[in-house]
Amino acid sequence: MAEQQSRTQQHQQQQQVHPTEAIKSLLPQKGPSKSQILAVVTLFPVGGALLCLAGLTLVGTVIGLAVATPVFLLFSPVLVPAALTIALAVTGFLTSGAFGITALSALSWMINYMRRMRGTAGEQMEHAKRRVQEAAGHMGQRTAQKETTRMRD
């Protein structure tokens, strides 16, 4: 029993790694490649410029909102009904267009369905006509053969 405890203690001591060794194991063994260095050197200024532009946009938005808020408050009795009217008009036009497209697609489907039905019936009729003509032709040939055999006899 004492042996097992001493073995587990030795094993745990061997498994414990010094903190600096743990950090070193996370870092790559080799340094960065040339393409990685070039990518960082190229993209770092681009990222900084885009970050500056984002900050300027944020500042401009805040200033515009600070200037426009009093105007919105003064004209809100006019702007709110106007915005609602415009929103309802746009909604009405979009709904009307959607209903129109739905109706056109339904009509198109119905016309194509009717054409297929008519085309199928017409094809069946043509096939039946051909079969009757072929049958009549065969009957004519048979009667002609029978008459020729009767005349010979």
Side-chain angles (χ1 to χ4, degrees):
M1 184 103 139
E3 273 183 40
Q4 286 181 346
Q5 288 179 353
S6 66
R7 283 184 187 173
T8 56
Q9 286 176 354
Q10 287 175 355
H11 187 56
Q12 288 175 353
Q13 287 175 354
Q14 288 174 355
Q15 285 182 348
Q16 290 178 351
V17 180
H18 199 272
T20 57
E21 294 297 322
I23 293 173
K24 285 182 182 179
S25 68
L26 294 175
L27 296 174
Q29 297 296 331
K30 299 186 320 182
S33 66
K34 290 180 183 180
S35 62
Q36 290 173 335
I37 293 172
L38 185 62
V40 168
V41 168
T42 305
L43 294 177
F44 189 73
V46 172
L50 290 175
L51 188 61
C52 288
L53 286 174
L56 288 174
T57 304
L58 177 65
V59 168
T61 303
V62 169
I63 290 171
L65 188 60
V67 169
T69 300
V71 175
F72 284 144
L73 288 176
L74 288 174
F75 293 110
S76 65
V78 175
L79 292 177
V80 170
L84 287 174
T85 303
I86 291 171
L88 287 174
V90 168
T91 304
F93 282 122
L94 291 176
T95 304
S96 171
F99 286 155
I101 289 173
T102 304
L104 286 175
S105 65
L107 286 173
S108 172
W109 180 85
M110 287 172 47
I111 289 170
N112 287 332
Y113 182 76
M114 295 301 253
R115 282 182 184 166
R116 276 187 262 130
M117 291 301 290
R118 190 178 299 161
T120 304
E123 289 174 7
Q124 288 176 350
M125 209 46 153
E126 289 294 322
H127 184 66
K129 282 180 184 178
R130 273 191 242 121
R131 288 185 62 192
V132 168
Q133 287 174 351
E134 288 173 4
H138 287 293
M139 291 301 279
Q141 289 175 358
R142 282 187 183 176
T143 54
Q145 286 175 356
K146 286 183 181 180
E147 285 182 19
T148 55
T149 55
R150 278 187 194 169
M151 289 184 179
R152 287 185 189 171
D153 289 337

